[in-house]
Amino acid sequence: MNILLTNDDGWGSKGLMTLLPHLLPLGHVTVVVPDGPRSGMSNAITVTQPITLRKINSQLSTLNSPSLDVYITNGTPSDCVKLAINVLFNGDASKIDLVVSGINHGSNAGINLIYSGTMGACFVAGEHGIPAIGFSIDDLSADADFSFMDPHIDTILSDTVTCHLPPVTCHLSPVNTITILNVNAPKGPIQGVRWTRQGKAHWEKEMKPFTMDNGETAYTLSGYMVNDEPDAEDTDNYALEHGLLSIQPCTIDMTLYAALR
């Protein structure tokens, strides 16, 4: 099988290198990643400049494998998937069996889902009918400990690849939507696994002011996420707060069907 691996952190990131050993036994892995951090890119695509794509297999050293090809681009995570489909696979999305994105440093639960470059890549896969899994951990440290995720990664991949999870049918919509999974692990030991929905949340105190050398006031993103339904036990936010690994099925269909008349 052909697996496309991407992320929003670039080649060599700990999360990406953690996923690779889990994917290589399953088939041929094509890695397409940005040339640097692209956090918070959501589904952004590059439209104002040319997008480059460079193969770097000669730099893989001990990871060099006939089942592995690695490419770097100046684009976004969404660009990575578009480049893979349109350039590396000659426009034939059916040649890609699975897209895997991550492991992201930081939770993509709750409202973070709409900002996530990690999940943005998965939504492009869904647009083209490719099953996709985005992996994240609730730990922003560059040296985050992924060891507690290891057995769960294998299980989720096995369920998705070996069991061929079917497209999910929304009970409000007659349209089948491709399987997209948003997987979020808590920091530290994992107490269990729970299938969840996206929890309602919002960010507060997001802009932190500082004074530049020229005296002008500028701002950096800061703040914290607030769980708007802390007692709802079926949400991704609740799962993470209670040491559970969250698996949230997603769809790219943003229609509010209940409002249709």
Side-chain angles (χ1 to χ4, degrees), residues 48-261:
T48 58
Q49 65 183 44
I51 308 173
T52 60
L53 185 65
R54 177 167 55 94
K55 193 173 185 180
I56 63 164
N57 272 27
S58 61
Q59 303 172 26
L60 294 179
S61 62
T62 57
L63 278 174
N64 199 9
S65 164
S67 297
L68 176 64
D69 291 302
V70 179
Y71 298 83
I72 290 180
T73 175
N74 62 345
T76 67
S78 289
D79 289 331
C80 290
V81 180
K82 290 180 179 290
L83 284 166
I85 293 171
N86 291 283
V87 178
L88 301 180
F89 290 90
N90 300 311
D92 189 353
S94 68
K95 292 181 179 179
I96 303 175
D97 300 294
L98 177 68
V99 170
V100 179
S101 186
I103 301 170
N104 186 68
H105 296 249
S107 162
N108 278 320
I111 195 63
N112 290 344
L113 175 61
I114 70 168
Y115 299 117
S116 169
T118 300
M119 291 305 298
C122 293
F123 293 138
V124 175
E127 173 191 351
H128 292 276
I130 308 169
I133 310 172
F135 288 96
S136 304
I137 187 172
D138 193 14
D139 188 345
L140 291 171
S141 169
D143 195 36
D145 183 358
F146 297 103
S147 62
F148 299 105
M149 292 183 69
D150 274 344
H152 299 284
I153 292 171
D154 287 333
T155 300
I156 292 167
L157 288 171
S158 176
D159 287 345
T160 306
V161 175
T162 307
C163 300
H164 302 290
L165 290 180
V168 177
T169 303
C170 174
H171 72 283
L172 292 173
S173 166
V175 180
N176 285 343
T177 56
I178 202 68
T179 301
I180 302 172
L181 300 181
N182 180 22
V183 178
N184 285 277
K187 180 179 180 179
I190 295 173
Q191 306 300 323
V193 177
R194 179 170 295 181
W195 285 75
T196 63
R197 63 175 174 87
Q198 181 183 2
K200 296 177 183 177
H202 70 280
W203 280 82
E204 289 191 352
K205 302 186 184 300
E206 295 180 77
M207 294 296 176
K208 182 178 181 180
F210 70 97
T211 303
M212 297 193 297
D213 292 340
N214 64 1
E216 183 179 356
T217 299
Y219 302 86
T220 57
L221 277 173
S222 182
Y224 52 88
M225 188 176 73
V226 177
N227 184 353
D228 292 326
E229 41 182 351
D231 298 325
E233 299 183 8
D234 60 342
T235 71
D236 46 10
N237 290 320
Y238 184 95
L240 292 183
E241 291 168 2
H242 290 79
L244 302 171
L245 183 142
S246 164
I247 304 176
Q248 177 212 351
C250 304
T251 173
I252 59 174
D253 183 354
M254 300 180 71
T255 307
L256 180 59
Y257 287 94
L260 294 178
R261 296 292 184 266

Side-chain angles (χ1 to χ4, degrees), residues 17-34:
M17 306 313 284
T18 298
L19 280 176
L20 259 179
H22 294 274
L23 298 175
L24 285 171
L26 302 177
H28 188 278
V29 179
T30 301
V31 178
V32 184
V33 290

